[in-house]
């Protein structure tokens, strides 16, 4: 079965509900986490499900990606 959240023909509410049901609590909490992209990234990104990075410019952007 194909994931509803990936189907653009489905309603936004259906897509969001499907995606949220598939996510673990750790993933949901991680998506709310924003880290400073200028710091040590390897540990937090691989262990905490980080949602976004702040201050990612220049050489920090390449490292973050």
């Amino acid at each position: 079965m194909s994931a509803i959240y990936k189907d653009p023909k489905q309603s936004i509410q259906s897509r969001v509900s499907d995606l949220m049901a598939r996510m673990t609590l750790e993933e949901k909490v991680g998506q709310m986490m924003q880290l400073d992209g200028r710091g040590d990234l390897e540990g937090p990104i691989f262990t905490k499900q980080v949602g976004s990075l702040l201050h990612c410019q220049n050489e920090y952007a390449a490292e973050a990606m």
Side-chain angles (χ1 to χ4, degrees):
M1 178 176 131
S2 153
I4 293 172
Y5 76 91
K6 292 182 178 183
D7 183 355
K9 294 178 184 173
Q10 298 293 324
S11 71
I12 292 173
Q13 182 60 45
S14 294
R15 295 174 72 188
V16 170
S17 294
D18 181 61
L19 179 59
M20 294 299 288
R22 293 169 186 271
M23 292 174 73
T24 65
L25 178 59
E26 290 82 9
E27 290 169 330
K28 292 171 185 171
V29 171
Q31 286 300 302
M32 296 188 301
M33 184 183 307
Q34 294 182 313
L35 295 182
D36 187 336
R38 298 172 292 186
D40 174 34
L41 301 174
E42 188 171 326
I45 287 176
F46 290 114
T47 61
K48 299 186 187 278
Q49 310 280 341
V50 176
S52 66
L53 297 170
L54 303 171
H55 312 293
C56 283
Q57 300 177 35
N58 308 324
E59 69 274 9
Y60 302 114
E63 181 182 345
M65 285 188 247

